[in-house]
Amino acid sequence: MVDVEKVLDEAGLANPKVREYVRYWAELTGASQVEVVDAADDARLIREALDAGELLPAGEGRYYSRSYHKDTARSEERTIVATNDPKDKGVYNNWRPASEMRPLLEDKMRGASVGKTMYVIPYLMAPPGNELATWATGVQVTDTRTVVLHMIRMSRVGVGYLENLEDPDQFVRAVHVTGDLENHGQGTPEDKRYFVTVADERTILHFGSSYGGNALLGKIAHGLRQAAYDGWASKKFLAEQYMLIGIHDKETGKDYHICGGFPSASGKTNLAMMLAPDALGDRYHVSFYGDDIAWLWVNEEDGRLYGMNPEYGVFGVAKDTNEGTNPTALASVGEGTQVIFTNVAYNPDTQEVWWEGRTPQPPADVSGWLDWKGNPIADREPGDDSPWSHPNSRFTTTLDNVPNIAEDYNAAAGVPIDAIIFGGRTRDREPLIRAIHDLAEGVYDGLTLGAEATFAAEGVDGQLRYDPMSNRPFMAYGEGDYAAHYLKIVGAAKEQPIFAHVNWFQRDPEDGHFLWPGYRDNLRPLLWLLQLKNGEVKGRETAVGIVPTEDELNLVGVDIPAKDLETILSINVPRWHQEIANREEHLAQFERLPEEIWEAHRRVAAALAEADD
Ligand code: GTP
Ligand code: SPV
Ligand code: MN
């Protein structure tokens, strides 16, 4: 039996509640050793992982890992929110009773870490000293060393973060057990994996994966799901899948902050890492605060809405990242950054990595190259053109490595929010940007956010996969209650942020090309939005919001055909009629949806009916 008390004493972990928690799970999982982790242990843990073959060297200060081939993404079907109150059941949160989930997970985890080390990771999901830090403290236990290495990059890790708890019990208990990956029946009816957040007990129990959001419990499980629940239960804050950026205007000296939600894989990281287009670079600078999660609250002193990024790193999509699309991302994974790549292609002879879209063509000389599963490219059958890297392959790097990181990203105060944007991946209908009139219409717009469900081939005619507030996979409680809470939090701010809907993904119906160049040029519609808020431009009123006129949008240095520009700045009324009918059905699913949201819906529908006349 491992001497847990001795290990905790040596680590200086005095909090009696934490000690009790660690002891309980060490016993239940049967771990053979217990080790308390601090960020300062990173170099040693990296060495151990290299020695054990869990990591492979990918050049100076860069590492490569491969996950089990059936364990490559967050699993939405196996993710559950459990509480003790059936009223917490929503449409998307996959609710189950806590009394059912806890014993089930304990059974799965019992004895599952025999022969393994249980790492204890005290962490903080907030800039130190932030006023929401009480809800940001957690202790993850995990039986997997690469998970520890990822947690050190993605969150602030160390025993010190547990020291100043007002209530020794105020920490999230985050239990991660990998189990036997080869025998979990992933994706079959016998699937053994369970990813459960027992939200009203602030306990996260994840069994059966060592990949991404399934395993790094600070990020999605605590930073989004648990925090969304806590924000609602405490009536104090919101936790959203949002990026958060600063825009500095060197001419006026003003700073603006914009946050916003786009569903997974819809461009948050790319927007947060955006360099101003060359033609505007002398005047504007974009700084990175966060690329995946923001917590929002009203600052009692100045009455404004504030935001902060609880994370400490970036877990970014590798695919299509290159010098043209995102030079900032490439710089953040360069030599000496201690980056970890997962599931990209790897060449052990040269220690190089490659992924689809890194260069237009894969390396011409395939000798030494292995695909993401570790199979030699040279051995492939002729005609085998399966991707070298997994489509969800990622890089994990800390915020310090991001060239445009905001100087004050680590400041306790957070930043005041000027605008909130929602953006889906929609090939038609949604203009480049439309500003929204008020908070209720903003929340209504967020609730009806979607990304293309399928392409036309699969026959869903213009219908979106709705992703309310870009939070569908992370909803912790009912959508109606969520909307009411959002209205209350943001509504309490003295100065209201301006809301807008953006779309970088509209395509030409004939040849399919993107009508808007996207990436760095996305700064242009955002500048217009800030001007609109400042009363410097008026825009053009439409039934679904205010769109820029062609003259108002700063297009210096951008080459876009007049016809394309006209399309992305106009409203396709017949397509909107179709959409409005779908929305009615979508919203009707939500219990206790506030009347303000229905009113906003009816306002937009009535304006559209008139637009038709
Ligand atoms: P998660 O980490 O899964 O939450 O994703 P994310 O929202 O951060 O998405 P990310 O920035 O990684 O972008 C996803 C994909 O969209 C990548 O393949 C990008 O290259 C592509 N993308 C991002 N911005 C644009 C854009 O402005 N235009 C076009 N055409 N593609 C874009
Ligand atoms: C997402 O899928 O939205 C992510 C990656 O940010 S994961 O942490 O795996 O959820
Ligand atoms: Mn995400």
Side-chain angles (χ1 to χ4, degrees), residues 432-446:
L432 178 63
I433 185 165
R434 52 182 176 85
I436 290 164
H437 296 102
D438 62 18
L439 170 61
E441 260 176 53
V443 178
Y444 164 67
D445 190 74

Side-chain angles (χ1 to χ4, degrees), residues 219-220 241 264 268 292 474:
K219 184 177 172 55
I220 301 283
Q241 187 186 218
S264 297
K268 292 180 300 298
D292 203 46
F474 317 115

Side-chain angles (χ1 to χ4, degrees), residues 247-517:
I247 297 176
H248 179 66
D249 181 340
K250 296 175 207 171
E251 207 170 287
T252 62
K254 282 194 181 151
D255 283 298
Y256 300 94
H257 300 96
I258 302 181
C259 65
F262 311 170
S264 297
S266 295
K268 292 180 300 298
T269 300
N270 277 276
L271 193 66
M273 290 186 166
M274 173 171 60
L275 288 176
D278 288 335
L280 305 183
D282 286 343
R283 176 155 179 195
Y284 298 102
H285 175 76
V286 179
S287 52
F288 181 116
Y289 284 89
D291 74 322
D292 203 46
I293 306 181
W295 291 10
L296 305 175
W297 72 98
V298 172
N299 177 332
E300 306 257 309
E301 265 162 45
D302 63 5
R304 292 195 64 182
L305 184 71
Y306 272 66
M308 62 87 167
N309 170 18
E311 302 195 90
Y312 190 59
V314 177
F315 186 58
V317 175
K319 188 174 186 305
D320 287 334
T321 304
N322 59 53
E323 279 84 0
T325 57
N326 195 341
T328 313
L330 283 187
S332 74
V333 301
E335 287 191 351
T337 55
Q338 306 298 318
V339 61
I340 301 174
F341 296 98
T342 306
N343 292 346
V344 297
Y346 176 66
N347 188 328
D349 299 344
T350 61
Q351 301 189 358
E352 287 172 285
V353 289
W354 188 84
W355 53 83
E356 273 62 31
R358 171 69 190 84
T359 49
Q361 295 300 323
D365 178 5
V366 301
S367 56
W369 278 100
L370 307 175
D371 68 14
W372 68 274
K373 292 180 182 168
N375 298 322
I377 302 291
D379 293 356
R380 286 189 164 190
E381 301 287 332
D384 179 352
D385 57 1
S386 52
W388 289 25
S389 71
H390 189 278
N392 190 37
S393 59
R394 300 247 173 183
F395 57 84
T396 310
T397 193
T398 54
L399 295 184
D400 283 330
N401 290 320
V402 177
N404 70 326
I405 187 69
E407 270 171 36
D408 56 345
Y409 84 91
N410 211 20
V415 291
I417 301 296
D418 298 283
I420 299 180
I421 60 178
F422 293 114
R425 217 174 231 282
T426 16
R427 61 170 50 217
D428 67 353
R429 188 179 54 80
E430 279 294 359
L432 178 63
I433 185 165
R434 52 182 176 85
I436 290 164
H437 296 102
D438 62 18
L439 170 61
E441 260 176 53
V443 178
Y444 164 67
D445 190 74
L447 288 171
T448 52
L449 175 65
E452 274 160 8
T454 52
F455 295 100
E458 284 170 64
V460 184
D461 197 13
Q463 206 173 330
L464 297 179
R465 176 193 194 258
Y466 285 113
D467 189 334
M469 315 304 272
S470 89
N471 236 2
R472 171 181 174 139
F474 317 115
M475 278 289 172
Y477 55 103
E479 291 77 7
D481 295 333
Y482 173 102
H485 178 55
Y486 199 112
L487 289 171
K488 215 175 272 164
I489 292 287
V490 179
K494 270 208 308 253
E495 183 186 328
Q496 285 295 294
I498 188 167
F499 281 84
H501 193 109
V502 300
N503 181 22
W504 321 140
F505 299 98
Q506 200 172 152
R507 289 173 188 261
D508 183 275
E510 264 134 50
D511 67 11
H513 78 269
F514 286 111
L515 298 182
W516 174 248

Side-chain angles (χ1 to χ4, degrees), residues 196-214:
V196 180
T197 296
V198 189
D200 54 354
E201 298 176 10
R202 305 194 80 222
T203 298
I204 298 163
L205 303 170
H206 278 209
F207 175 78
S209 163
S210 60
Y211 192 85
N214 294 339

